[in-house]
Amino acid sequence: MTRLPAEYLSQIEAILPAKSIIQDTSRLRALAVDASFYQLIPKLVLRLNSLEQVKAVLTFSQQHQVGVTFRAAGTSLSGQAVSDSVLIILSDDWRHHDVLDNGQRIKLQPGIIGADANRVLAPFGRKIGPDPASINSCKIGGIAANNASGMCCGVAHNSYYTVQDMTIVLADGSMVDTANETSVQNFRVKHQVMLDELQKLACASQQNSSLRELITYKYRLKNTCGYALNALIDYQDPLDILLHLMIGSEGTLGFIGDITYKTVIEHKYKASGLYLFASAEQACALVQVLAQQNVDAIELMDQRALNSVKGQPGLPDTFCTDNDNYTALLLETSANSDKALSLNMQSIEQCIAEHHPMQSIALSTNTVLNQQLWAIRKGTFPAVGAVRETGTTVIIEDVCFPIENMAEGIGRLHQLFDKFGYAEAIIFGHALAGNLHFVFTQSFELQSEIERYDSFMQAVAHLVAVEFKGSLKAEHGTGRNMAPFVALEWGEEAYNVMRKIKQIVDPAGILNPGVILNDDQQSHIKNLKLLPKANDIVDKCIECGFCEVVCPSQALSYTPRQRIAIWRRIQHLRALATTTSGEHAQRVPRVSNQPNKQAAIYTQEQAEEQAKELRQLEHDFEYMGIDTCAATGLCAQRCPVGINTGDLIRQLRSEKQTKFGKTIAKFSANHFSLVSKAAALGFAASSTATKILGDDLTNKVGESVHQFSGKRLPLWQSQWPSKAKPIRFDASLHSKQVVYFASCASRTMGPAASDSESLSTYDAARSVFAKAGYHVIVPDTMSELCCGMPFSSKGFPDLAQQKGEQLARSLLSISRQGQIPIVFDTSPCKQQMQALNNEHGLTIFETSEFMVKHVLADLQITPQTQPIALHITCSSRKMGIGPYLQTLANACSEKVIQPNGIECCGFAGDKGMFVPELNASALRHLKDQIPADCTEGFSNSRTCEIGLSQHSGIPYHSLMLLLDKVSKGKTAPVNV
């Protein structure tokens, strides 16, 4: 393998901190993973913080002819974000935004997630134009560089048509900010030759009537195949041409340092409906009519797509049949008022009626129904992934037919599916633009499978680009997958223009080589990614990366996608090692730059390299994969196929437990009260020591002891809790009763030594219940009871089950067989017990949920003017009870601050004590989002509140304390 020049590495090391330079085997392989079905391992990964660093790295790269690839979120599907040279990724410092002109424009750095940009714009009733399906995970840099669009975006609102300004860094390290006149003037002087060449190319293209007509025709369609040649005929100023060429250039022309979008209206009033037609011809004929109506989106689904999500809420079984000709349309219309929306709906329904749908769910403004309808459409892609055979990957292709040929195109694609044996393939897409996605599964294990895929793609390319004059990529980007077919679609003349653009802007060819333009006609079937069997829990993972944004360890170690990818690699290397005997192995993986050749054999040197890699990956996975995983399961909520990577990690923790560890865990489970009392005494001692030493010295001593112990001892810090007050039992009878269960954390952990608040969560809850006329009942054996979560997270599932069953039996008895509602004071406890609820029939609530549903109506609340910060725990998010916390917080305070991007605090039981860097990683953006006038935060988990207090600079308490503070009863309180 060719090494990077030593001088190049020395120059990089001279300008970047060591933490920004990644060269170790484990992280290089982990960061190699993206959403495509290609696999290239970079020689070097650089995590850059600023434009200055980007400029310097590109300058050095051009000097030494080193290829460079940029990556934002790595959700791209066509291989444009992988590299076997230098991969540049973004640090957290690329998340700045500026809302301009009252939301009419927004300036965004490339590290901002698309959905976050829309959240910023929501108060202005605006949004960015592009709306890719991955908008909750993909970043602005990728959205612009791929010219991503989506369901409602169409062509008019994509990045090309809504970009206003951009900061561009070219391959030579030079930069221009098109919004800054001084920067523009300097750039025009220094790059006059390049700009003149672009202008000459544009003039030649405009004067070439056949080429101009071709370009005009191609961009009447939705098209991201090749470079944006429409820039050459749409603009005269070469800087405008360069700016628009950057859109969809996939990092092959330069780096987008920021982009200013003209925003679009986000209408408040919306309606959706679903309609089934007897044929694609009938459905597509309606699409052409509806294109003249006020319709925002029309999503087409063939019958196979509908059948793949049969049984999903909102989809009647009658929509799912054996007739492959049937085709469905999902519509959305919106307006700025109820009246305008009603007029839209009437006009649209009249058009639909004239085209005689077989079945329909008429346009409705019902929010729940509409969410279900769109979930049906969004569920089609993961539905294929969920049923694929282990070892296969899910491929989603993205083509565009002229709308008048869309129905015929669907039929011809079905014929190709049948011809090449893709019986599971489905079609869906954005019908208004003629943009169709087809999804199928593919194995790359055997050469015969690769040849089948190649033959299929050759046939698809000829069908779309030659027969129907469509586009081979409508919104997913050209990447490596379609690079060999760009000339087929555009013809040699237009293709040579694209070559000239690349030569003018990146003459050394260092930017993302092999992407968009590639002379290797087999590049689409090289460097293919294997997805070997690793574990039943994660084998369905398609490595899309949707999970990464919510992972608390994303800035520290591995993300869920990376954990799965590395575990797959470990299992693959273990399997290969078992087949190795003597000097040769029986099988060899693909040579990285060749198609699969299973007949080759390993050399001894290759076997030794793989053994070395395996040892390294296994060693590093202990910390990067297992120890630093919070195992919260938030990843499952974002995963298209519902994979909870935490389940894998808990299983691995269980498998590595020693006999001594199992003995300690069993003793703890059987003597839980004793262990809890010991922990409480420890917290009492900690609190006393903190009061003596003070916060700063406590933190310093704690850090020193933690490091000296090799991180075996927990990190003692000033926000550790004191000993909790004992809980008083109350067995009074009253018509309004509630069983209250305090978690082991609440029973042992009081407020921090420096905390001015002395009231416990339980005392506050009892006070609130009394105001509302409730008597509180608690189990008299509560000190021995536990939901089992501490054991589950440590890898002791049997003990977790044992403790959970014990608690369930106790609660069942005290609640009179479930007649009395049961309230858990922390969200993780309720989440753990929910799994047992189906068996025991308990009526269980989390405290905030119960307060909103049953108690607030009996309270008189005077909300405070002082702002508060609110943290919704990961367990609350998973259970869907976050809105109850928000409702309760808004009832108690006139201003509630909910910091963005804090999906999980990362404290994860006791990991915040033993692996404090995980907590720090998860909360790294918290403090900067707490305004100066906010002096208090609230949540619903005692352990989470410890980490939140430590990293926010303000104390966090249970939301029950705030409710008690601002409320009083409407009637005389119950005597408790």
Side-chain angles (χ1 to χ4, degrees), residues 452-467:
R452 176 172 75 120
Y453 171 72
D454 181 30
S455 297
F456 174 65
M457 290 307 299
Q458 298 285 351
V460 167
H462 189 272
L463 171 71
V464 176
V466 179
E467 287 193 50

Side-chain angles (χ1 to χ4, degrees), residues 263-446:
T263 63
V264 301
I265 296 173
E266 172 70 317
H267 288 304
K268 178 180 178 181
Y269 302 92
K270 297 181 179 181
S272 297
L274 180 66
Y275 305 85
L276 185 66
F277 297 90
S279 67
E281 288 78 8
Q282 190 178 0
C284 293
L286 175 59
V287 170
Q288 295 184 64
V289 174
L290 291 178
Q292 309 305 315
Q293 297 284 325
N294 291 319
V295 177
D296 296 311
I298 304 178
E299 291 296 297
L300 180 146
M301 291 173 278
D302 72 357
Q303 187 62 67
R304 298 182 191 185
L306 283 176
N307 292 346
S308 73
V309 288
K310 183 177 181 179
Q312 192 156 319
L315 180 63
D317 286 346
T318 53
F319 272 68
C320 301
T321 76
D322 294 329
N323 192 323
D324 280 351
N325 293 322
Y326 292 177
T327 306
L329 296 178
L330 172 62
L331 279 63
E332 180 175 279
T333 180
S334 64
N336 59 7
S337 69
D338 271 329
K339 182 178 180 180
L341 182 62
S342 295
L343 292 174
N344 285 358
M345 293 167 66
Q346 291 172 17
S347 180
I348 292 168
E349 286 288 2
Q350 183 177 347
C351 288
I352 294 171
E354 293 172 357
H355 284 74
H356 311 295
M358 300 170 60
Q359 296 188 60
S360 66
I361 299 174
L363 284 170
S364 171
T365 58
N366 184 290
T367 303
V368 173
L369 174 61
N370 290 346
Q371 288 175 344
Q372 289 177 340
L373 294 179
W374 284 98
I376 290 167
R377 159 60 182 85
K378 293 175 182 177
T380 51
F381 172 45
V384 176
V387 298
R388 68 183 173 86
E389 292 184 15
T390 300
T392 64
T393 189
V394 178
I395 297 178
I396 178 170
E397 279 305 338
D398 165 46
V399 300
C400 188
F401 290 100
I403 194 166
E404 63 272 16
N405 300 126
M406 183 165 56
E408 187 180 356
I410 293 171
R412 294 289 298 280
L413 284 174
H414 280 153
Q415 291 175 16
L416 290 182
F417 298 157
D418 294 338
K419 177 180 179 180
F420 290 97
Y422 294 107
E424 77 290 351
I426 64 173
I427 295 175
F428 56 84
H430 318 314
L432 278 173
N435 178 195
L436 299 177
H437 302 313
F438 54 94
V439 181
F440 59 100
T441 62
Q442 176 71 52
S443 169
F444 294 126
E445 290 282 352
L446 301 175

Side-chain angles (χ1 to χ4, degrees), residues 25-33 39 41 534 543 558-573 613-614 616-618 620-622 624-625 648:
T25 299
S26 294
R27 287 190 295 168
L28 286 178
R29 184 163 278 278
L31 290 166
V33 180
Q39 178 82 84
I41 310 301
E543 299 185 0
Y558 292 154
T559 65
R561 166 166 66 173
Q562 293 165 358
R563 284 183 171 91
I564 293 171
I566 295 298
W567 189 246
R568 278 175 167 158
R569 179 61 176 172
I570 288 173
Q571 294 301 93
H572 184 53
L573 289 175
E613 180 188 354
L614 176 59
Q616 188 67 55
L617 293 180
E618 288 177 329
D620 293 347
F621 196 79
E622 287 296 315
M624 304 278 282
L648 169 67

